[in-house]
Every structure is written in C-alpha cells, then in structure tokens.
Amino acid sequence: LLLLPLLAAWGPRVPGGLRAPQRRWPVPYRRFDYRPKTDPYCQARYTFCPTGSAIPVMKEEDVIEVYRLQAPVWEFKYGDLLGHLKIMHDAVGFRSSLTGKNYTMEWYELFQLGNCTFPHLRPGIDAPFWCNQGAACFYEGIDDAHWKENGTLVLVTTISGTMFNEMAKWVKYDNETGIYYETWTVQASPDKQSTVWFDSYECSKFILRTYQKLADLGAVFKKIQTNYTSIILFSGEPIYLGNETSIFGPLGNKTLAAAIRDFYNPFKPHQTVREFFVDLVRIIDRVILNHQFYLFYNLEYWFLPMKFPYLKIIYEEVPLPVGSKESFGV
C-alpha cells in the first residue's frame, strides 16, 4: 500500500488532474460546413497553388489515364535529401486521351508544414494562434522531371470521362469540408494492431481517399506496391483538455493555459543556431524525459502521455483499393 502513492506519481503530470474520458478511438476527423477566411497574419513562404485552375469537365467517352505521383518533400529545394528519410509528398496525375492534356492534383498546406503543426504565441493573445489550413490544388501539366528524378510516376488505372467528372464533384465536397491539416498519427505502440488514437489528415490521405472514390466508381487498379509516409507519435490513452474558450477564455483554466503555452514555446521559429539547440534540449526534456505532448486536433486540446519510442517516421505499404462496381466499360 505504501507503494501506491509512488506509482501514482510515476509518469506524466497533467495540470488540473484531468483524466482520460471513456470514448471510442480513433477520434474521427471533423468536417466543417465552410472554409473560414484566413487571417492576414498567416503568410506562406511559398505561394499555395500558384498555377491552379478549375477542374475541367471531360467528355463522357474520354479515356483518362491515372498516375501515381510521389517525390521527396521540398524536392524542388533540397533534392532527394528528405527522400533518404522517406518523407514523401504524394499527388495524382491524369492524362486525357481525347485532348492529350495532362493534369496534376494534390493536397497540401496553405502556410507550410511548420505552421500547420505548431502555433504562434502572439503577444497580447492568450491562446496559441494557429495558421492551419490544407486544400486541394488542381493544375494543367505534369512535371515529369520533378516526379521521376527522385520519386515515382507510374500508371495505376484508367477511367472514363464520366468517372472523372463524378470524382471532380467529390473533390469539391472533400475540399470544402475537410479544411484543417493534421500532421500527426497518434497510436499506442509500434505494433501494427495497436490502438490508433488520432489519424493524420495530410497529402497522402487525400490521395488514398481519391483512389478509393475512383474504385467506388468502378476503377480497376493495377497490382503494384504503393507506400506512404506517416509521422507517428506514441502515447498512452489521450486526455481531453478542452477547447480554446474553456482553457484560455475568461473562465478558463489558467494553470493549464500556461502549461500549453509553455510547451509550444520551444517550437517557435529560431533566429540563431544557439536558440535552436537550447529549445531542442527543452523539447527533449518535455517529450521524452517528462512524457508530455499537447495535441491540437479538431480545434480541441488533448494531453498525450508519451511512450517509447515517442516518435517514428514510417514508410509503409497501403495497397491500392479494390472497386465495388463494374468499370464503366473501361
């Protein structure tokens, strides 16, 4: 009995003594009725979708080739550097047989990955400020060199113009309702059958949804291996903390609010190498030594009691989907 207080004190400490609620996992990604306007404070280093265009209406009798596109993240700037770590970006390409035109469709962050993953701590504003939206981008052409040199450009299926047009309607719905980028997958352990607490919502998940939609419309995919990148945090059962109002509002939990702000502070952009390494030590202390991580998901805050191995980047196979209908004569 004397050991019980010691065992209770062992592990991560949560401000306010909150406990994990009973709920089903994973927490479903929340969809919204509309896309809010972006705050002028949120600026991207690289313009989102600079050559984007509307998705064209294809003729029903058209035969359209569908290509799997994959390249290292920021390949245009760093070449294959992130490819060695298997940090890959995914897209899908189309080629019309009637017109000979090529198109690319992808989904990525409006304000770059860092802004979607961690907030800004702005003076005079108690709550962390998030510059986080993701969206689909469609444009004419496929940059063969970009996808082939360090990545993948491979035919995966062929569809009709009718199927393409139905897919375009779905893309519009998906893009208008799924608006926030979620970097992290959070699960209980590295075991494949372990509980997933939260699933990510990023470029590869958009491509997987697109493939599934095409399969549901009748597309028959080739039998080839397809791998995707996931960044996984490992945690015990997450603890719900509240939303921005309940934590940072006038009647909020000031102790918890201070703890969340303090946690995010080391993740800010750095001006010098020394600042970076000082904050890196702070991050290791919080996440690994004290087993703490604060997750912002569906506009709500969660406490993650972190577990070994804490974080892992995986590049795992996800098979191409099997259709549920006959292919429209293609």
Side-chain angles (χ1 to χ4, degrees):
L1 291 176
L2 291 175
L3 289 174
L4 291 178
L6 294 175
L7 293 173
W10 187 266
R13 297 178 180 178
V14 185
L18 298 169
R19 294 292 178 264
Q22 295 298 315
R23 62 170 64 237
R24 293 182 179 179
W25 304 102
V27 172
Y29 177 84
R30 179 181 172 187
R31 289 189 174 271
F32 295 82
D33 295 330
Y34 65 95
R35 182 180 292 273
K37 291 183 179 180
T38 58
D39 192 291
Y41 178 85
C42 299
Q43 299 292 327
R45 178 174 295 182
Y46 301 101
T47 303
F48 173 81
C49 202
T51 60
S53 61
I55 302 179
V57 177
M58 300 295 189
K59 292 186 177 180
E60 294 181 2
E61 66 272 20
D62 202 348
V63 176
I64 298 165
E65 296 174 334
V66 181
Y67 292 88
R68 176 175 184 252
L69 308 177
Q70 189 177 71
V73 170
W74 285 37
E75 188 268 349
F76 67 92
K77 185 173 184 180
Y78 299 117
D80 193 32
L81 177 62
L82 294 177
H84 292 296
L85 299 174
K86 298 299 183 184
I87 302 177
M88 309 295 283
H89 174 66
D90 299 272
V92 59
F94 303 96
R95 181 183 182 276
S96 166
S97 297
L98 286 180
T99 66
K101 290 184 177 181
N102 298 324
Y103 303 93
T104 300
M105 184 170 71
E106 51 191 326
W107 196 95
Y108 55 100
E109 324 91 42
L110 270 65
F111 310 110
Q112 271 76 70
L113 181 60
N115 283 322
C116 291
T117 309
F118 299 106
H120 293 262
L121 301 178
R122 299 176 66 180
I125 301 177
D126 288 337
F129 184 83
W130 293 86
C131 293
N132 180 9
Q133 281 194 38
C137 177
F138 188 95
Y139 53 94
E140 187 173 338
I142 297 177
D143 185 349
D144 288 15
H146 170 70
W147 302 107
K148 280 184 176 179
E149 185 172 346
N150 296 310
T152 300
L153 194 163
V154 60
L155 179 69
V156 290
T157 190
T158 305
I159 62 175
S160 68
T162 300
M163 294 161 67
F164 179 92
N165 294 335
E166 288 299 313
M167 179 210 69
K169 296 176 184 176
W170 168 84
V171 169
K172 184 175 186 296
Y173 158 79
D174 187 80
N175 197 49
E176 290 176 348
T177 61
I179 56 179
Y180 292 111
Y181 189 101
E182 300 290 353
T183 301
W184 312 107
T185 294
V186 185
Q187 63 187 57
S189 76
D191 298 336
K192 286 194 173 182
Q193 302 304 318
S194 71
T195 301
V196 175
W197 309 119
F198 302 93
D199 208 352
S200 59
Y201 196 88
E202 25 74 4
C203 65
S204 69
K205 296 301 171 67
F206 173 75
I207 300 305
L208 290 169
R209 293 195 303 278
T210 301
Y211 288 161
Q212 186 60 59
K213 182 61 179 180
L214 291 176
D216 293 342
L217 291 169
V220 178
F221 285 87
K222 294 179 177 293
K223 294 182 179 179
I224 59 175
Q225 182 170 333
T226 52
N227 290 60
Y228 302 90
T229 300
S230 292
I231 304 177
I232 302 177
L233 299 176
F234 298 102
S235 163
E237 185 170 4
I239 298 171
Y240 175 71
L241 301 177
N243 58 28
E244 180 177 307
T245 301
S246 67
I247 297 173
F248 298 95
L251 302 178
N253 185 327
K254 295 188 180 302
T255 301
L256 179 57
I260 293 174
R261 287 182 60 89
D262 189 52
F263 171 80
Y264 283 130
N265 184 262
F267 294 96
K268 63 183 181 295
H270 296 91
Q271 302 298 323
T272 68
V273 174
R274 181 181 179 278
E275 288 178 351
F276 169 78
F277 281 105
V278 168
D279 281 338
L280 179 61
V281 171
R282 294 174 62 193
I283 293 169
I284 292 172
D285 176 69
R286 303 280 173 77
V287 177
I288 297 178
L289 300 182
N290 286 291
H291 311 284
Q292 296 179 347
F293 196 98
Y294 289 92
L295 177 73
F296 190 60
Y297 192 92
N298 285 346
L299 304 183
E300 297 174 322
Y301 287 92
W302 297 77
F303 178 81
L304 305 182
M306 298 295 287
K307 295 164 53 178
F308 181 85
Y310 308 106
L311 180 147
K312 189 175 183 180
I313 298 173
I314 64 171
Y315 187 65
E316 66 177 354
E317 181 181 5
V318 180
L320 288 165
V322 177
S324 60
K325 294 182 179 181
E326 292 184 1
S327 176
F328 285 72
V330 176

